[in-house]
């Protein structure tokens, strides 16, 4: 239970951080060409291209070598995992956000400005709510994938579900029992979020039905 809780905590914190990082990135990448856009494009390519395990090991082992403040006691394996998975996941989440923002009809923004809304108000009250409906299902999919990716943290001694399982297996040599127990915990968490995804999709299906009816008429 403790290992499963740490697994869930790492996944939730990393994904929330990735969303916070990726949203402004998506706005820049959907905007005009500039130096910042070029840099963010390189960022996305780098962290999507490099293996997640390599990124985790680099942040835990290599980062403290050229940034001394990461050598302090506060920089724990948990924080290294959080930082690594947040950066890695943001490179994937930004593409979900970009696609969702681009899927919103540009006329919505024009209508918002015509009503006297500022640019910030247009994004907050018009564009973001519509983009959320589009981005939510793939975002939950990405979270489920991240939940399973957290098992990599066992390599740097984070006491998540797989690490705890390996410790118990080494102590007892009861491979079947402990691996089966870990599988049950992983499946329980994954199926829970799959259920959440189904409920979300049903919750927002009315909008798709309305749009289909509008186009048909």
């Amino acid at each position: 239970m403790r290992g499963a809780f740490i697994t869930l905590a790492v996944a939730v914190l990393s994904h929330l951080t990735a969303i916070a990082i990726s949203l402004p990135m998506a706005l820049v990448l959907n905007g005009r060409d500039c130096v910042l856009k070029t840099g963010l494009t390189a960022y996305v390519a780098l962290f999507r291209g490099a293996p997640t395990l390599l990124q985790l090991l680099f942040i835990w082992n290599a980062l403290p070598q050229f940034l001394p403040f990461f050598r302090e006691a506060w920089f724990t394996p948990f924080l290294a995992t959080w930082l690594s998975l947040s950066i890695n996941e943001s490179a994937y989440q930004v593409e979900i956000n970009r696609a969702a923002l681009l899927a919103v009809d540009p006329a919505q923004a024009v209508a918002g400005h015509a009503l006297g809304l500022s640019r910030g108000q247009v994004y907050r009250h018009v564009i973001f709510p519509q983009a959320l409906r589009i981005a939510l299902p793939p975002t939950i999919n990405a979270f489920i994938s991240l939940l399973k990716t957290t098992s990599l943290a066992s390599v740097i001694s984070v006491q998540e579900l797989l690490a705890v399982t390996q410790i118990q297996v080494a102590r007892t040599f009861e491979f079947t029992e402990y691996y089966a127990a870990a599988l049950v915990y992983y499946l329980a968490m994954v199926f829970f979020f799959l259920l959440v995804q189904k409920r979300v999709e049903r919750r927002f299906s009315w909008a798709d039905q309305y749009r289909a009816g509008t186009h048909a008429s």
Side-chain angles (χ1 to χ4, degrees):
M1 284 291 291
R2 180 172 58 87
F5 175 78
I6 293 175
T7 291
L8 190 59
V10 169
V12 170
L13 289 173
S14 299
H15 205 190
L16 289 176
T17 305
I19 291 172
I21 295 172
S22 64
L23 187 55
M25 289 171 54
L27 294 174
V28 173
L29 290 172
N30 282 348
R32 298 177 180 177
D33 291 338
C34 60
V35 175
L36 181 58
K37 183 176 180 178
T38 302
L40 290 178
T41 301
Y43 170 97
V44 171
L46 173 64
F47 289 105
R48 283 172 66 95
T52 306
L53 180 57
L54 176 60
Q55 296 175 42
L56 178 61
L57 292 173
F58 181 88
I59 288 178
W60 175 240
N61 293 319
L63 197 61
Q65 291 188 348
F66 55 90
L67 292 176
F69 60 88
F70 282 108
R71 300 174 189 169
E72 303 296 331
W74 63 266
F75 190 57
T76 62
F78 183 91
L79 287 177
T81 302
W82 181 6
L83 178 61
S84 174
L85 294 183
S86 297
I87 293 173
N88 178 261
E89 187 64 22
S90 68
Y92 291 91
Q93 184 65 39
V94 68
E95 296 299 330
I96 296 174
N97 294 344
R98 285 186 63 193
L101 291 170
L102 289 173
V104 178
D105 191 340
Q108 298 287 324
V110 175
H113 289 303
L115 292 173
L117 299 179
S118 65
R119 183 177 181 183
Q121 290 173 325
V122 167
Y123 273 104
R124 180 181 176 184
H125 299 293
V126 180
I127 296 178
F128 285 159
Q130 297 182 65
L132 175 64
R133 179 184 62 81
I134 300 167
L136 207 48
T139 296
I140 297 175
N141 270 338
F143 174 78
I144 292 171
S145 178
L146 177 62
L147 184 67
K148 293 178 286 186
T149 304
T150 58
S151 61
L152 296 176
S154 62
V155 175
I156 62 171
S157 303
V158 176
Q159 296 298 300
E160 47 74 59
L161 181 55
L162 183 59
V164 172
T165 303
Q166 294 282 52
I167 290 171
Q168 295 303 320
V169 166
R171 288 176 178 172
T172 64
F173 295 99
E174 296 176 351
F175 297 93
T176 304
E177 293 85 343
Y178 281 103
Y179 287 146
L183 177 62
V184 169
Y185 277 110
Y186 276 117
L187 291 178
M189 290 187 288
V190 169
F191 287 154
F192 171 78
F193 287 105
L194 285 173
L195 179 62
V196 170
Q197 183 183 30
K198 293 295 184 183
R199 291 180 66 88
V200 167
E201 289 176 350
R202 285 199 299 266
R203 173 66 180 83
F204 288 111
S205 64
W206 65 268
D208 294 326
Q209 294 171 2
Y210 174 78
R211 291 175 62 185
T214 301
H215 289 307
S217 60

